[in-house]
Amino acid sequence: MGKLEGKVAVVTGAGRGIGRAIAILFAREGAKVVVNDPGVGPDGVGHDRGPADQVVEEIRAAGGTAVANYETVADYEAAGRIIQAAVDNFGRIDILVNNAGILRDRMIFNMTEEEWDAVIAVHLKGTFNCTRHASVLMRQQRYGRIINVSSESGLWGNAGQANYGAAKAGIAGFTRVVARDLGRYGVTCNAIAPRAWTRLTATIPGNVTPEQQVMIERLKRLTPEHIAPMVGYLASDDAWNINGQIFMVYGGTVALLHHPVPWRTIFKRGMWTVDEIAALMPTLLEGTRNPAPPPEELIPETARRQAQPAG
């Protein structure tokens, strides 16, 4: 008997990559699965029922139970129909995995409003849309597991991904709040920050440095199948008391990420002056680094003078 026997799951973006691996593992563990995927390209353009249908066929061929759904998570009403598909086909919803995503990478000074809106709509709004509809049913039945997909890009930044990083950071914050909203009703909400080679990571530009190429080759060894077991665990009854947590998952690694908390603090009675803060800031920031320091010629002259030894 599998860990998810008798459960009903919705997995968004399940036609390929990480979502596909999760859906297949869920079915293998006994869950009935709604495989949601509109079959868009990595940039969110197009429509193809093939990916979702293929995953459903694969699950059924292995003796599992699944149905396909082709709605977009970015539309509130369509997201409601995704959740309703679980109820209509299997009578309830126990598990929701908010995995659907697209990329529109661009440096911030070149990014268009449409590129920003499209990525936010799928990742952040899509996670809200599906969670909002599922949470009503999960609260009523006093049971549910919600697993969101965040990203290292949102947790500590990646150049050229302001839209994606903002959405993924938002999902991390969203996860922590939803955990508080729903925990009292027997519903947990957690997130993963996965690292795997998928068609989204394959969009990395070809003109990379030798060091970056080494990292890409390492990434190619990290498959979506490495991610699925942790999601399966979080979706199970064994994880009943894990709530509001974020895990980095890749290869054979599962890392519990620390929530942001004060690290170092400066304090005085009364109000600081700008000069006082300037004097103490180097101590406060000791051990940190600027992720993208400016070239020498752009360093302010006052900073150059301060950095020079006395005498």
Side-chain angles (χ1 to χ4, degrees):
M1 181 170 168
K3 287 286 189 183
L4 305 179
E5 196 69 37
K7 306 298 186 187
V8 177
V10 169
V11 183
T12 68
R16 301 180 179 94
I18 293 172
R20 172 185 174 276
I22 292 169
I24 290 173
L25 181 136
F26 276 12
R28 191 165 65 240
E29 291 291 332
K32 300 177 178 67
V33 185
V34 175
V35 177
N36 162 260
D37 202 306
V40 300
D43 60 356
V45 176
H47 182 78
D48 180 6
R49 293 190 169 202
D53 288 342
Q54 290 167 13
V55 175
V56 169
E57 290 173 9
E58 188 171 351
I59 288 173
R60 290 176 177 174
T65 304
V67 296
N69 176 276
Y70 318 104
E71 302 277 5
T72 174
V73 301
D75 180 88
Y76 183 78
E77 299 301 329
R81 294 191 290 271
I82 296 171
I83 304 306
Q84 190 62 38
V87 178
D88 291 345
N89 285 278
F90 306 124
R92 58 186 287 130
I93 178 172
D94 300 294
I95 303 160
L96 168 63
V97 180
N98 287 304
N99 169 75
I102 64 171
L103 286 179
R104 299 279 186 91
D105 290 358
R106 192 88 65 181
M107 298 299 282
I108 187 61
F109 42 79
N110 289 325
M111 185 173 290
T112 67
E113 181 183 16
E114 195 275 332
E115 287 167 339
W116 173 272
D117 288 346
V119 171
I120 296 295
V122 174
H123 288 277
L124 186 55
K125 187 183 178 187
T127 295
F128 161 75
N129 287 343
C130 292
T131 301
R132 169 64 175 81
H133 291 292
S135 66
V136 174
L137 301 176
M138 290 178 173
R139 177 172 177 261
Q140 289 171 352
Q141 68 196 19
R142 296 299 197 266
Y143 183 90
R145 300 285 182 269
I146 301 168
I147 300 99
N148 298 323
V149 178
S150 184
S151 170
E152 295 173 76
S153 178
L155 299 176
W156 43 80
N158 193 33
Q161 294 191 318
N163 47 8
Y164 180 77
K168 291 304 192 181
I171 287 170
F174 178 81
T175 297
R176 295 182 180 114
V177 173
V178 172
R180 292 176 179 270
D181 285 353
L182 297 181
R184 73 192 69 179
Y185 304 109
V187 181
T188 65
C189 183
N190 296 286
I192 62 166
R195 188 188 299 172
W197 186 257
T198 67
R199 68 190 188 125
L200 292 188
T201 49
T203 61
I204 296 172
N207 55 336
V208 296
T209 66
E211 292 78 11
Q212 290 171 324
Q213 188 59 45
V214 170
M215 293 181 63
I216 290 172
E217 293 306 317
R218 289 176 180 169
L219 184 58
K220 287 182 178 179
R221 295 196 291 268
L222 305 177
T223 70
E225 286 70 25
H226 284 95
I227 308 301
M230 181 58 185
V231 181
Y233 168 73
L234 290 173
S236 73
D237 287 348
D238 290 344
W240 68 273
N241 201 33
I242 301 175
N243 197 23
Q245 302 299 331
I246 301 173
F247 300 87
M248 184 168 65
V249 186
Y250 64 92
T253 298
V254 174
L256 174 64
L257 299 186
H258 203 287
H259 294 312
V261 295
W263 179 21
R264 298 189 185 112
T265 304
I266 57 174
F267 171 81
K268 68 169 288 189
R269 295 187 181 278
M271 189 170 67
W272 290 97
T273 68
V274 174
D275 286 341
E276 287 172 335
I277 291 176
L280 290 174
M281 193 52 59
T283 300
L284 191 66
L285 292 177
E286 185 178 358
T288 67
R289 66 180 183 87
N290 182 344
E296 183 74 18
E297 64 270 19
L298 296 183
I299 298 175
E301 184 60 34
T302 53
R304 293 174 197 266
R305 289 198 299 268
Q306 290 170 0
Q308 292 175 352

